[in-house]
């Protein structure tokens, strides 16, 4: 039972009772028999593990293992069990059998009995003869040993050694040429496959010379070694992949793990392992030169995409200044910015936009926090001003000459903890100052000085950016001010000088220009820090002033402690913009009702109803394939869910199309062919429409257009009652393929909210259980801050309008169609507060129950971090092999884990709402994707991602020996006669046909085994592939995950309208469907990242001091309270605090400029204009990077693609690898056309040329553009069309 | 159909060994009496019966020679002969030309039936037949047999190569888009063709290479990679000094990758000592100026050079070669040059990358074996759509025709020399030491070697300029 406080228990009871209420309504509606089934089709979730556990089992030895496991660790058992085999406890007869069984059993144990390793990873064992006549043991590893993972691979050798001793066989004594063979072979294998770790020659020698067991292998590659061939004791000249893996990724890479077990088991003869560990350790020690301090990291701007501007270069003056803290809406990969910052940065950063940051190492979701400092700008009047107010920021945007400082970025300790990034010195701030002896916020500059004189450090509001200046500049400035300044009523007036002005702009002291004088309003501290008296004389402190550094100098001159206001600057650039919109299929139907071709391109039900087969006939009916259903009470055959004659609920009738007889179940018992539920009838659509209108007491012309679908694609060809479509059309909502209506949006985390922000009244919130604010004060005002319950969400206003329409639809549906009372009775979106919704991440099957508590202005959904973390994504097991084409490289087959890790841009990863870490790949990479016709295409990899692994994976094996392990909700492709259908992995059955990649072709293969296995790693991996969203993994084509936004739907909508029978085929296309519902969140079971959300109201002084010395975040793990510390206690759900408040979680721009600008040219121009203004940005470098990482890549890639392109038939869309000799489509005779066009090759050419002219681009890049220009010219010849003018591009 | 074993044992019965070429020839001819005739004609004391012993085979050389004066001529791939792509439809004529030309090389060995006739009419069902087609798909079956899709201008058909048949090793090497002939039997439903014999255009057994009547020597090198930080400057100077002293050498041929180029692979700028592309060519110009002007230098481009990547690649444009000495001649890739009547086909070798990946047992270590596969297919880059971009034109200039005396390539940075049916195949290696990429790929280059070709004898000599060896 989950630990909860009484209050939370009450909350969950409330949710439960809301759920039950909805269930009751839905049950009543369903019971009317109008739907495909009379029961609700979304079950409450039960752990997938429940079902799986039964599938696991270890034969015969299970009892023994259990007995041993009670006494020792898993690893120890895996060795000890060898004794039993040696004692022939399980009926072994030969030595081979003993060793074979022992190794396999322990491998099974080590891999949790789930991967292929024990059965297929070890081909066989055998015995060889040493040169001294003794015998030694050989283990033949095969390719699938890969799936075992390095540790298990290494331990299997250990097990072999253990058993070998038990049965009295000597160690392996290698010959010198055999050792060399290992070295050659490993090198060669690494060339083919690129291993995770390639040991050096000395390490290999050490391993082979000392390993007591001979690590042998089956040939796995096509290549043969060229050097050490035809050795007497090595049976093959071909490269043995399994052997290489065990040596390199097993023994060498996992040496520490092996050592641990060796020690534990007190095994002899393995001391040499320590040498590998020592060797490896000293190597890695060299890499870590960062003892303390940090260096600029430019990874986040390595791959600049045109149109997404850079706001701050790495650790550059004027960049984002780090402020430590967590606001209500930050943490969990969201970072806070002053809304003024967001406006001044060209409105590119809207609430919910992703920003890629330099550190702590994650991309950040952008949220407004107005308690942090805004930007400092230089206006066209020469005035320098800090802007903290969004209104003011908007007003002055046109007058901005230069953005001198982009303001603060609020990042929480939890982010550093999550990324294990050392803490770094932040910008000096009040919450720190208060703990260093600052008594209270100073009212004036005078008061601040008083506090400083009393011994506290100088208050941060009056600290200027002295450390951005060289000590020499401070001296010069003091001298100049002393000589050329005067004190007037309005402040310090200094005679204008361009150099001095530039220094003032650097030190960021606000000033204006009046005539030929610079006026500084708040000058007292400024003068004091320059060591000047009020009559601008040098103070005695100058006499013994230190040479530097700058901060020490000003501290000395003023006599106060002056801390760094600059702190650490953090670079950032724009990532992906957010989204928020109604889910619509294309074309978007109102109802799942067939209209055939007669509905026209709009699929209009009315138009289909007006169709006449021949002129002068009545018409009004169309031919359609519909499901065959029969009434159990009167026996009438119909296509409706409800018997038209007696009103009973009908049942689908299955027929075998071949034997033409009715069958029970989906398979014909006599011919074993699949049965269908189908009849072709004349569907009286006009009459149906009229009946539906009458039933709803609507006039026939009250809705102009009801859109249906072309045909029914589910197995039972179930259709929705037309009434539902009429009502949906009336309320302007569209149905998704599973019968529900949905809204997509980006999710952001939030832990506290104000009633005002969500548009809810105090009464409404009290009614749904928010009785006290987060300080325990009874709720009376809309300004009080409330702690958000973990399953409560706020959606955007736009979504609110949509929800209102849906509620009207549902109410009408209940009242007019089901004859039940209205449920929502909402007049305004606010009336829906407290209603239950289902949240669903794309391509997952489990919905999460949630409650609506209000609306935000921003186009995002705000919800508790736990809620986000509860929705998981689907992916591949890390050892899955994929074939990728890399830029400059070639085709390479790598485990997906390795590919993802290699290409994961550690410095700029994104984190989407489901807790998935993703990033764009570091380099261009492409994979072979397959479309639904089974044709392959080269598609770009657009993202790589790492996901938290679920408990279990599904393993498929095929008749041709392929296997694949994926998460249960992963998308698989299955042949359906002639096209590939997408299904969830859990729906794939034995006997299904999967597409395989073989020799560049797509062939079909049969699934021979489907098994649930325990997931061996804590992470699973995936790629995002452009366009087709498919790739070959372990040679099997299947889907990938789609990093997209989440969606919500009404709980009642899901319960009433959702039916599996609408989904394409009984098992197909159930992607995105709410197959189960998680009713209650358990923080322990959600994504671990949410455990690193810190929940304190201030960081202690100790923390800031730790940050100053670059301490690792782990050091403060116990000091700063975060979710992990509270797991398992009632505190895991509530009592969260935050360090920074914000007035409005929806402040700042609501739509990103990126989405409002049209063409790439506009975007590029806007990006470069903004870059020109920001002091922290080197715009020439931005132009160069965009050229290098986007435009030139695109140009080169397309040029290469042009001369190796595929062709396509215009008529049947078949694609061919090359032009057929016939010149026409061999299949249909249609015209064959190109797939890469001259225009798409040249797309960015002109713009690249112009950028080279306008910006200081390096000669190297400039020449690359020139080279490409020449290559394009030589490929296509002189330009045929007219040149576009310069103005068209810049 | 005769099987290999039978043929071999017939020879062995008379205590003769027989070369695989002869076996293949006898199988192709399908004439058992040929064996006796060959055995009868074998001279006394023969141990191995080689192709010379085949009675019908009389060495003929391909084409007549008209020797110009001076005795040097670019036969194909003269500067400015590569054209831009006028029309996408050119791909139709391009592949048709390839098909027509390559199938003409097999005339006499295959009596082709149009594929449409095979597939559409019933009369070939379960009958022996033969035809010629271009491969459009290759795949292996679960049992390890090979199924290929073959097409001609009339239609397509599936062809199965059974792994237990003789010559399956050759079938395993079938590449997409090569043109082959097959003999075999059509299935009873006409859906699939069971192949017995695979016939490639190949170099005729009768091929007799031409040898220059006057003495003369050519030096062959490739992949100079000027500008790279791994370019072997010292070794090059040693080479330049050496060639200046070789009075007998009149030609220097460079098969592409004259410079390291810019932007060829990501992060290349970090491995360049000359980052300016003009600077790279200027440096090469200086280097070549040190070579005596009596030596004619022929320079072809490669994938690192400044020209487009799609083959045929045009010659290096004039603006990059302003200060080059007079004795430099720029040709395209590929180019066929005649030196005193000896024809040398220069091809940089981008297609090695594709072929090595697809031919079982092929490796970068032995480029000469891949070159042999090119000759057998009579095509320099058989497979379209992979790493070798191809610019379509009316004619396929990548076809190996006429048969040259020497096939000369580079690209893989590993030296390899071999003879196949009279054609001398030379891959000259490189002037760049092991790069970071090669190290990662475990490629050991054989840098700083020059091959001296004697035009009068077609014998060669390899000179190594590597530091500690010269």
């Amino acid at each position: 039972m989950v630990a909860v406080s009484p209050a939370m228990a009450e909350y969950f009871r409330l949710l439960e009772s809301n759920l039950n209420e909805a269930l009751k309504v839905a049950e009543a509606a369903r019971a009317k028999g109008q739907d495909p089934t009379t029961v609700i089709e979304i079950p409450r979730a039960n752990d997938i593990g429940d079902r799986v556990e039964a599938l696991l089992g270890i034969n015969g030895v299970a009892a023994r293992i259990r007995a041993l496991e009670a006494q020792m660790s898993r690893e120890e058992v895996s060795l000890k069990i060898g004794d039993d085999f040696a004692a022939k406890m399980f009926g072994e007869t030969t030595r081979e059998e003993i060793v074979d069984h022992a190794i396999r059993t322990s491998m099974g144990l080590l891999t949790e009995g789930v991967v292929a390793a024990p059965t297929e990873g070890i081909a066989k064992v055998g015995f060889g003869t040493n040169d001294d006549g003794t015998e030694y043991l050989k283990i033949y590893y095969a390719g699938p040993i890969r799936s075992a993972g390095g540790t298990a691979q290494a331990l299997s050798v250990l097990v072999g050694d253990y058993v070998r001793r038990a049965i009295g066989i000597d160690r392996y004594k290698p010959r010198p040429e055999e050792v060399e063979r290992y070295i050659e072979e490993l090198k060669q294998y690494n060339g083919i496959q690129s291993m995770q770790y390639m040991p050096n020659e000395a390490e290999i020698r050490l391993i082979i010379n000392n390993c007591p067991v001979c690590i042998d292998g089956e040939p796995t590659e096509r290549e043969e070694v060229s050097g050490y061939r035809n050795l007497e004791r090595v049976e093959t000249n071909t490269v043995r992949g399994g052997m290489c893996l065990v040596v390199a990724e097993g023994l060498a890479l996992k040496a520490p793990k092996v050592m641990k077990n060796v020690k534990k088991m007190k095994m002899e003869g393995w001391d040499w392992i320590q040498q590998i560990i020592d060797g490896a350790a000293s190597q890695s020690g060299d890499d870590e030169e960062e003892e303390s301090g940090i260096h600029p990291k430019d990874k986040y701007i390595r791959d600049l995409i045109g149109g997404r501007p850079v706001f701050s270069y790495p650790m550059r003056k004027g960049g984002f200044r780090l402020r430590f803290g967590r606001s209500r809406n930050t943490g969990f990969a969201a970072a806070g910015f002053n809304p003024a910052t967001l406006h001044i940065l060209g409105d590119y950063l809207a609430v919910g936009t992703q920003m890629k940051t330099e550190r702590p190492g994650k991309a950040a979701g952008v949220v407004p926090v107005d308690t942090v400092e805004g930007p400092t700008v230089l206006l066209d009047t020469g005035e320098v001003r800090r802007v903290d107010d969004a209104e003011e920021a908007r007003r002055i945007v046109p007058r901005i000459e230069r953005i001198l400082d982009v303001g603060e970025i609020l990042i929480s300790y939890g982010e550093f903890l999550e990324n294990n990034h050392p803490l770094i010195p932040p910008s000096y701030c009040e919450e720190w100052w208060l703990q260093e002896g600052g008594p209270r916020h100073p009212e004036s500059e005078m008061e601040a000085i008083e506090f400083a004189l009393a011994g506290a450090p100088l208050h941060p509001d009056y600290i200027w950016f002295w450390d951005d200046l060289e000590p020499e500049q401070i001296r010069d400035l003091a001298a100049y001010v002393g000589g050329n300044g005067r004190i007037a009523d309005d402040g310090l007036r200094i005679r204008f000088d361009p150099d001095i002005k530039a220094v003032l702009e650097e030190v960021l002291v606000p000033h204006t220009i009046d005539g030929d004088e610079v006026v500084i309003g708040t000058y007292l501290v400024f003068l004091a820090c320059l060591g000047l008296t009020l009559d601008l004389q040098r103070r005695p402190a100058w006499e013994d002033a230190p040479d530097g550094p700058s901060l020490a100098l000003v501290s000395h001159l003023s006599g106060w402690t002056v801390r760094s206001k600059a702190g650490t600057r953090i670079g950032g650039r724009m990532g992906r913009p957010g989204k928020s919109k109604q889910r619509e299929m294309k074309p978007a139907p109102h109802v799942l009702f067939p209209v055939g071709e007669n509905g026209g391109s709009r699929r209009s039900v009315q138009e289909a109803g007006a169709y006449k087969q021949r002129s002068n006939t009545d018409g009004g009916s169309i031919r359609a394939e519909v499901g065959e259903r029969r009434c159990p009470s009167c026996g009438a055959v119909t296509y409706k869910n409800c018997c038209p004659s007696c009103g009973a609920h009908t049942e689908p009738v299955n027929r075998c199309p071949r034997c033409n007889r009715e069958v029970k179940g989906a398979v014909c018992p006599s011919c074993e062919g699949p049965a269908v539920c189908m009849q072709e009838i004349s569907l009286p659509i006009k009459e149906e429409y009229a009946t539906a209108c009458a039933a709803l007491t609507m006039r026939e012309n009250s809705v102009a257009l009801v859109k249906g679908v072309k045909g029914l694609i589910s197995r039972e060809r179930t259709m929705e009652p037309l009434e539902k479509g009429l009502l949906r059309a009336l309320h302007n909502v569209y149905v998704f393929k599973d019968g529900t209506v949905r809204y997509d949006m980006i999710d952001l985390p939030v832990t506290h909210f104000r009633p005002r922000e969500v548009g809810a009244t105090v009464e409404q919130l009290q009614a749904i259980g928010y009785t006290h604010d987060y300080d325990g004060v009874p709720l009376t005002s809309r300004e009080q801050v409330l702690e958000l319950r973990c399953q409560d969400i706020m959606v955007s206003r736009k979504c609110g309008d949509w929800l209102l329409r849906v509620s009207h639809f549902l109410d009408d549906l209940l009242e007019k169609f089901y004859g039940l009372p209205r449920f929502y009775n909402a007049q305004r979106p606010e009336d829906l507060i407290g209603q239950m919704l289902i949240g669903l991440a794309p391509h997952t099957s489990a919905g999460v129950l949630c409650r609506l508590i209000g609306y935000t202005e921003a186009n995002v959904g705000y919800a508790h971090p736990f809620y986000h973390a509860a929705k998981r994504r689907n992916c591949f097991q890390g050892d899955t092999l994929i074939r990728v084409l890399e830029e400059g490289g070639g085709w390479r087959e790598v485990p997906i884990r390795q590919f993802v890790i290699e290409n994961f841009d550690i410095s700029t990863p994104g984190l989407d709402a489901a807790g998935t870490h993703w990033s764009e790949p570091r380099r261009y990479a492409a994979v072979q994707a397959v479309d639904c016709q089974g044709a392959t295409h080269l598609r770009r990899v657009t993202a790589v991602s790492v996901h938290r692994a679920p408990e279990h994976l599904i393993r498929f094996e095929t008749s041709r020996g392929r296997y694949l392990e994926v998460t249960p909700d992963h998308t698989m492709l299955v042949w359906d006669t002639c096209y590939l259908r997408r299904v969830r992995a859990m729906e794939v059955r034995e006997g299904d046909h999967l597409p395989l990649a073989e020799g560049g072709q797509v062939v079909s293969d049969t699934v021979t085994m489907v098994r649930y296995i325990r997931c061996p790693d804590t992470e699973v991996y995936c790629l995002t592939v452009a366009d087709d969203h498919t790739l070959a993994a372990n040679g099997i084509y299947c889907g990938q995950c789609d990093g997209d936004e989440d969606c919500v739907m009404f709980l009642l909508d899901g319960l009433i309208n959702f039916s599996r029978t609408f989904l394409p085929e009984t098992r197909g296309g159930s992607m995105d469907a709410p197959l189960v519902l998680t009713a209650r969140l358990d923080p322990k079971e959600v994504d671990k990242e949410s455990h690193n959300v810190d929940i304190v109201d201030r960081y202690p002084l100790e923390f800031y001091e730790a940050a100053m010395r670059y301490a690792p975040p782990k050091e403060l793990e116990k000091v700063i309270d975060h979710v992990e510390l509270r797991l398992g206690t009632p505190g895991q759900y509530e009592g969260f605090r935050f360090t920074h408040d914000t007035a409005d979680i929806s402040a700042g721009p609501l739509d990103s400029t990126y989405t409002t600008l049209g063409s790439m040219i506009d975007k590029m121009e806007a990006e470069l204009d903004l870059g020109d203004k920001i002091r922290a940005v080197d715009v020439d470098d931005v132009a160069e990077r965009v050229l290098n990482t986007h435009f030139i890549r695109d140009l080169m890639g397309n040029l290469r693609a042009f001369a190796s392109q595929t062709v396509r038939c215009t008529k049947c869309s078949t694609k061919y690898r090359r032009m057929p000799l016939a010149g026409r489509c061999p299949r249909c005779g249609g015209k064959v056309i190109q797939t890469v066009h001259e225009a798409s090759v040249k797309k960015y050419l002109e713009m690249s040329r112009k950028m080279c002219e306008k910006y200081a681009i390096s000669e190297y890049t400039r020449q690359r553009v020139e080279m490409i220009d020449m290559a394009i010219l030589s490929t296509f010849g002189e330009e045929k069309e007219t040149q576009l003018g310069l103005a068209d591009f810049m | 159909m005769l099987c290999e074993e039978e043929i071999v044992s017939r020879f062995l019965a008379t205590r003769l060994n027989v070369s695989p070429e002869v076996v293949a020839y006898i199988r192709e001819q399908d004439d058992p009496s040929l064996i006796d005739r060959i055995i009868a004609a074998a001279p006394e004391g023969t141990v191995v019966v080689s192709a010379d012993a085949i009675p019908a085979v009389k060495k003929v050389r391909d084409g007549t020679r008209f020797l110009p004066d001076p005795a040097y001529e670019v036969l194909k791939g003269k500067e400015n002969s590569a054209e831009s792509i006028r029309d996408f439809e050119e791909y139709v004529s391009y592949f048709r030309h390839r098909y027509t030309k390559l199938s003409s090389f097999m005339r006499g060995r295959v009596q082709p039936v149009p594929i449409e006739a095979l597939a559409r009419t019933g009369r070939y069902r379960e009958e022996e037949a033969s035809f010629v087609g271009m491969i459009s798909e290759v795949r292996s079956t679960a049992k390890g047999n090979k199924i290929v899709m073959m097409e001609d201008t009339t239609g397509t058909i599936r062809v199965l190569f059974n792994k237990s048949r003789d010559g399956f090793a050759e079938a395993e090497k079938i590449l997409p888009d090569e043109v082959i002939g097959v003999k075999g039997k059509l299935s009873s439903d006409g859906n699939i063709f069971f192949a017995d014999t695979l016939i490639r255009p190949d170099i005729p057994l009768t091929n007799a290479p031409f040898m220059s009547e006057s003495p003369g020597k050519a030096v062959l090198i490739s992949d100079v990679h000027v500008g790279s930080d791994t370019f072997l400057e010292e070794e090059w100077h040693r080479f330049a000094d050496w060639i200046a002293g070789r009075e007998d050498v009149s030609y220097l041929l460079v098969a592409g990758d004259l410079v390291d180029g810019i932007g060829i692979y990501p992060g290349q700028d970090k491995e360049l000592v000359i980052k300016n592309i003009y600077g790279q060519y200027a440096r090469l110009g200086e280097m070549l100026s040190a070579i005596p002007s009596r030596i004619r230098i022929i320079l072809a481009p490669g994938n690192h050079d400044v020209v487009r990547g799609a083959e045929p690649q045009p010659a290096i444009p004039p603006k990059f070669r302003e200060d080059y000495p007079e004795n430099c001649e720029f040709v395209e890739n590929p180019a066929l040059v005649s030196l005193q009547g000896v024809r040398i086909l220069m091809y940089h070798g981008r297609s090695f990358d594709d072929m090595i990946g697809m031919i079982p047992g092929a490796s970068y270590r032995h480029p000469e074996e891949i070159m042999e596969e090119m000759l057998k297919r009579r095509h320099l880059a058989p497979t379209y759509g992979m790493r070798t971009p191809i610019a379509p034109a009316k004619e396929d200039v990548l076809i190996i025709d006429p048969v040259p005396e020497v096939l000369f390539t580079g690209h893989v940075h590993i030296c390899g020399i071999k003879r196949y049916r009279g054609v001398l195949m030379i891959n000259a290696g490189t002037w760049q030491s092991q790069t970071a990429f090669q190290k990662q790929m475990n490629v050991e280059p054989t840098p700083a070697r020059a091959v001296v070709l004697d035009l009068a004898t077609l014998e060669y000599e390899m000179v190594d300029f590597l530091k500690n060896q010269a």
Side-chain angles (χ1 to χ4, degrees), chain A residues 187 226 887 889 960 998-999 1001 1003 1203-1205 1217-1218 1221-1222 1234 1260 1263-1264 1266-1267 1274-1275 1277, chain B residues 84-85 88 96 134-138 140-142 151 177 262-263 266 276-278 306 308 365 384 387 390:
Chain A
K187 276 187 182 168
S226 43
E887 186 176 78
R960 300 175 73 162
E998 255 185 29
Q1001 309 302 319
V1003 296
S1204 51
Q1205 64 176 307
R1217 198 174 48 76
R1218 66 160 158 79
L1221 282 178
Q1234 66 201 105
Y1260 184 75
Q1263 288 189 351
R1264 283 187 73 186
E1266 193 188 327
M1267 299 303 92
S1274 114
T1275 307
Chain B
S84 57
I85 303 167
F88 169 76
R96 278 202 185 156
M134 186 182 283
I135 309 294
S136 51
E137 272 181 44
V138 185
S140 297
T141 68
E151 64 169 330
D177 310 325
I262 55 167
N276 187 312
I277 185 75
Y278 293 91
V306 75
R308 76 174 185 209
R365 258 165 250 231
Y384 163 84
R387 278 204 262 175
I390 292 174

Side-chain angles (χ1 to χ4, degrees), chain A residues 171-176 178-183 186 201-215 243 247 251 272 276:
Chain A
R171 50 167 299 136
Y172 170 52
K173 291 159 195 161
R175 297 175 185 165
E178 287 169 359
V179 178
E180 296 309 310
R181 162 70 186 263
Y182 276 103
I183 294 172
L186 272 146
E201 287 188 21
E203 283 176 309
I204 301 174
R205 271 200 193 98
L206 186 73
I207 293 173
I208 304 307
N209 279 320
N210 289 291
C211 183
V213 173
C214 172
I215 303 166
M243 176 279 285
V247 173
L251 289 175
W272 52 276
I276 297 181

Side-chain angles (χ1 to χ4, degrees), chain A residues 183-184 186-192 194 222-227 883 885 887-892 923 959-960 998-1003 1192-1193 1196 1199-1208 1216-1224 1226 1231-1236 1238 1259-1268 1270-1278 1280, chain B residues 83-89 91-92 95-96 99 133-143 146 151-156 172 176-177 261-269 272 275-279 306-310 314 317 319-320 350 356-363 365-366 383-392 437 440-442 444:
Chain A
I183 294 172
E184 181 188 359
L186 272 146
K187 276 187 182 168
Q188 194 166 351
Y189 183 71
N190 194 42
I192 307 169
S194 257
R222 278 174 145 187
E223 287 185 22
E224 295 190 349
V225 293
S226 43
R883 244 166 78 80
L885 179 67
E887 186 176 78
W891 282 103
R892 179 156 86 100
R923 282 168 303 191
S959 58
R960 300 175 73 162
E998 255 185 29
Q1001 309 302 319
V1002 181
V1003 296
I1192 290 180
R1193 254 185 224 182
M1196 279 178 63
L1199 187 59
R1200 188 172 31 211
F1202 184 87
S1204 51
Q1205 64 176 307
T1206 56
V1207 296
R1208 185 173 63 87
Y1216 297 95
R1217 198 174 48 76
R1218 66 160 158 79
M1219 179 63 86
L1221 282 178
R1224 318 228 90 197
K1231 189 173 188 275
V1232 178
I1233 57 157
Q1234 66 201 105
T1235 50
V1236 183
E1238 184 176 341
E1259 192 56 32
Y1260 184 75
T1261 305
R1262 214 178 274 270
Q1263 288 189 351
R1264 283 187 73 186
V1265 173
E1266 193 188 327
M1267 299 303 92
I1268 290 166
M1270 279 172 46
I1272 289 180
L1273 187 70
S1274 114
T1275 307
F1276 297 108
E1278 292 292 337
K1280 284 165 212 152
Chain B
E83 291 171 339
S84 57
I85 303 167
R86 276 190 302 268
D87 195 355
F88 169 76
E89 321 285 285
Y91 272 123
V92 182
F95 285 114
R96 278 202 185 156
Y99 173 76
M134 186 182 283
I135 309 294
S136 51
E137 272 181 44
V138 185
R139 61 184 172 87
S140 297
T141 68
K143 287 179 187 150
K146 235 8 183 204
E151 64 169 330
D152 64 9
T153 51
T154 65
T156 61
E172 283 217 282
D177 310 325
I262 55 167
I264 308 297
Y265 55 88
Q268 190 187 12
D269 47 335
L272 289 178
K275 291 198 172 113
N276 187 312
I277 185 75
Y278 293 91
V306 75
V307 295
R308 76 174 185 209
K319 64 172 168 177
F320 292 94
R350 193 79 224 265
I356 286 172
M358 288 185 291
I359 296 176
S363 96
R365 258 165 250 231
H366 297 289
T383 304
Y384 163 84
M386 294 185 70
R387 278 204 262 175
T388 316
I390 292 174
F437 178 71
Q440 191 194 324
M441 298 307 290
N442 195 23
E444 271 312 330

